[in-house]
Each structure stands twice: as C-alpha cells, then as structure tokens.
Amino acid sequence: MEFMCFLQQKNLDKSNKWSLSVCVVVCVCVCAVMRCNLLVLKVLLSVLSTEMMMTMVQGVCSRMCSCRGAVVNCGKRGLTAATLPSSFPPHTSELYLNDNHLTSLPNNLLDSLSSLRLAHLHGNPWSCDCGILYLRGWLLKQRNDALIRNVTCSSPAHLRGRLVVYLVEEEVLESCRYWMCDLALASQISLFIFIVVQALLLASVILFLRRFERLTREAQRTAAETFTAEDDAQSNEYVMLKDRSM
C-alpha cells in the first residue's frame, strides 16, 4: 500500500514538472511573438513617418498638373486665374504654365519656390493692368533672357505686344488710377444714396412726432371740454335742487 502511494506521488511530481515546462515554453513563445510584433510595428511606423515627411517636404501635386520629380507641368490645360493652383510643391525646379488662359498671377505665388530655376509662361493672354505688377516684379529678378522675351502683353490695346518686364510702372498704374476713380465714384454715389435715405427717415420721424403732438393737444382739449361740460351740468343740477328746496 505504501509502495502504491509512493508511485502515485512520483507520477504527480512528473506531471507537475511536465506542466510547468510546457507553461515556460508557452510563455517564452508568447514573449518572442510579442517582440516580433513590436519590431514590425516599429518598422511600419518608421516607414509611414518617413513617407509623411517626404510628402510634407515635397508638397502635393495639383490634379490640374502633372509632376515628375521636381518638374511640374501645368501647360496647355486651359487654366484661368480661377482654376490656377494656389500653390506648387516647394521642391519645384521647373514649372510649365504655358499656353493657358492666364491674364495675371496671384501675389506671392512663385515666391516660396526657392528651387525654381525655369518657368515657362509664354502663350498666355497677359493683361497689363494693375494685376500684372506682381509678375513684372518677379520677372525683373530673373536672369533668363528667353523667359523674359516670351512674356508679352495682350491687353490693353496700346500695350499689346510689349514685354511685361520692360513696362514702365507709370503705364501700368494708369489703369489702376482709372479703377480707383471708378471705385471712388461708386463710393460717392453709395454715400449720397445713404445720406438721402437717412434724410427721408429723419423727415418721416419729424412728421410723425408733429402729428403725434397735434393729436395729443386735440385729445387734451377734448378731455378739458368734457370735464367742463360735466362740471356745468353738476352745477346746474345743484342749483335746481336748491331752488326746489326753497
């Protein structure tokens, strides 16, 4: 009997040791898998962060243009001032805006492109008025003679065919003066209309107050006459009663 108990105890010890060994192996495997997963996650995060940084640095290419490396091609796309992209990738070194319907460029459009070496701007109907001042100033900073020679005025008529870069500032400002004069005239007309409306409102208020004052006086006079008539009636009744008593 004692021998059987010893054998049972020995078998239990063996099973416990076997279970403990299995648990240790499982824990080691789980730890290894977790470490592998953490390593994979770190690699994926580093790749994603690198791609995001590259996207932020390079900028996003507009759907109206095609981009290959540092070359951005927006030429022959029928672009106007309304459909022109508001910005270009900062790393742009060559920009094609040729053969569109551009009459001017927005202020500061090209100033952030520090790597820009060449811009193709020919084939556009540039309007040499106030809106051309930014493009003229940008062209004055360029050293590419071919670029300068290809940018000419299409309007107004007296400046047609003139190179934008060689425009005299006073010639461009003349159109600005006309525009400012029109704006000043419109402002004066609006101010005159505003003053007339205010005067009409003031006259209406004055007429209303006068009518109200007249109605108030008539009401007071009517009330006073009513009270006087009632007093007279009461006096007459008092006299008649006094006569009867006598």
Side-chain angles (χ1 to χ4, degrees), residues 101-154:
H101 304 295
L102 301 175
T103 57
S104 62
L105 292 182
N107 292 339
N108 306 319
L109 178 65
L110 306 177
D111 293 346
S112 61
L113 305 179
S114 57
S115 302
L116 186 62
R117 299 292 178 266
L118 183 61
H120 304 271
L121 302 173
H122 60 277
N124 286 293
W126 301 110
S127 179
C128 294
D129 51 16
C130 282
I132 207 67
L133 288 175
Y134 168 72
L135 178 59
R136 175 182 174 273
W138 185 83
L139 290 173
L140 287 172
K141 303 175 185 177
Q142 307 307 308
R143 298 179 180 178
N144 190 332
D145 293 336
L147 169 62
I148 294 174
R149 288 196 302 269
N150 288 331
V151 183
T152 58
C153 300
S154 293

Side-chain angles (χ1 to χ4, degrees), residues 175-193:
S175 61
C176 300
R177 292 193 187 97
Y178 292 133
W179 178 78
M180 291 176 66
C181 289
D182 293 339
L183 180 62
L185 180 60
S187 300
Q188 291 178 359
I189 293 175
S190 300
L191 180 61
F192 176 75
I193 294 174

Side-chain angles (χ1 to χ4, degrees), residues 18-34:
W18 174 254
S19 300
L20 182 61
S21 300
V22 171
C23 289
V24 171
V25 172
V26 170
C27 291
V28 171
C29 292
V30 170
C31 291
V33 171
M34 291 180 65

Side-chain angles (χ1 to χ4, degrees), residues 6-246:
F6 175 76
L7 289 177
Q8 290 178 359
Q9 183 68 30
K10 189 174 181 180
N11 291 331
L12 287 174
D13 292 340
K14 287 183 179 180
S15 62
N16 289 335
K17 289 181 180 179
W18 174 254
S19 300
L20 182 61
S21 300
V22 171
C23 289
V24 171
V25 172
V26 170
C27 291
V28 171
C29 292
V30 170
C31 291
V33 171
M34 291 180 65
R35 288 180 180 177
C36 290
N37 290 335
L38 289 174
L39 182 60
V40 171
L41 286 175
K42 287 182 179 180
V43 173
L44 290 175
L45 288 175
S46 63
V47 171
L48 289 174
S49 62
T50 303
E51 290 181 354
M52 290 178 64
M53 289 296 296
M54 290 297 294
T55 301
M56 292 176 63
V57 171
Q58 293 181 356
V60 180
C61 184
S62 172
R63 62 183 181 84
M64 301 297 296
C65 309
S66 61
C67 302
R68 289 187 177 180
V71 178
V72 179
N73 188 356
C74 303
K76 300 179 180 180
R77 307 298 172 96
L79 296 178
T80 63
T83 58
L84 180 68
S86 58
S87 61
F88 300 101
H91 68 287
T92 302
S93 62
E94 188 172 0
L95 177 62
Y96 288 83
L97 292 175
N98 57 290
D99 300 307
N100 285 301
H101 304 295
L102 301 175
T103 57
S104 62
L105 292 182
N107 292 339
N108 306 319
L109 178 65
L110 306 177
D111 293 346
S112 61
L113 305 179
S114 57
S115 302
L116 186 62
R117 299 292 178 266
L118 183 61
H120 304 271
L121 302 173
H122 60 277
N124 286 293
W126 301 110
S127 179
C128 294
D129 51 16
C130 282
I132 207 67
L133 288 175
Y134 168 72
L135 178 59
R136 175 182 174 273
W138 185 83
L139 290 173
L140 287 172
K141 303 175 185 177
Q142 307 307 308
R143 298 179 180 178
N144 190 332
D145 293 336
L147 169 62
I148 294 174
R149 288 196 302 269
N150 288 331
V151 183
T152 58
C153 300
S154 293
S155 62
H158 67 282
L159 295 178
R160 185 175 300 151
R162 294 277 301 276
L163 294 177
V164 172
V165 71
Y166 293 139
L167 288 174
V168 181
E169 190 170 352
E170 285 73 14
E171 293 177 328
V172 180
L173 291 177
E174 286 181 359
S175 61
C176 300
R177 292 193 187 97
Y178 292 133
W179 178 78
M180 291 176 66
C181 289
D182 293 339
L183 180 62
L185 180 60
S187 300
Q188 291 178 359
I189 293 175
S190 300
L191 180 61
F192 176 75
I193 294 174
F194 176 77
I195 292 173
V196 170
V197 171
Q198 293 295 321
L200 292 175
L201 289 175
L202 181 61
S204 300
V205 171
I206 293 173
L207 290 175
F208 174 78
L209 291 175
R210 288 183 177 178
R211 184 178 179 183
F212 180 77
E213 183 180 3
R214 186 173 64 254
L215 292 175
T216 303
R217 289 177 179 175
E218 291 179 356
Q220 290 176 352
R221 186 173 61 251
T222 303
E225 292 176 353
T226 303
F227 290 148
T228 302
E230 289 179 354
D231 291 340
D232 292 341
Q234 290 178 357
S235 299
N236 293 332
E237 289 179 358
Y238 176 76
V239 171
M240 292 175 62
L241 291 172
K242 187 177 181 180
D243 293 339
R244 287 178 182 177
S245 63
M246 291 178 63

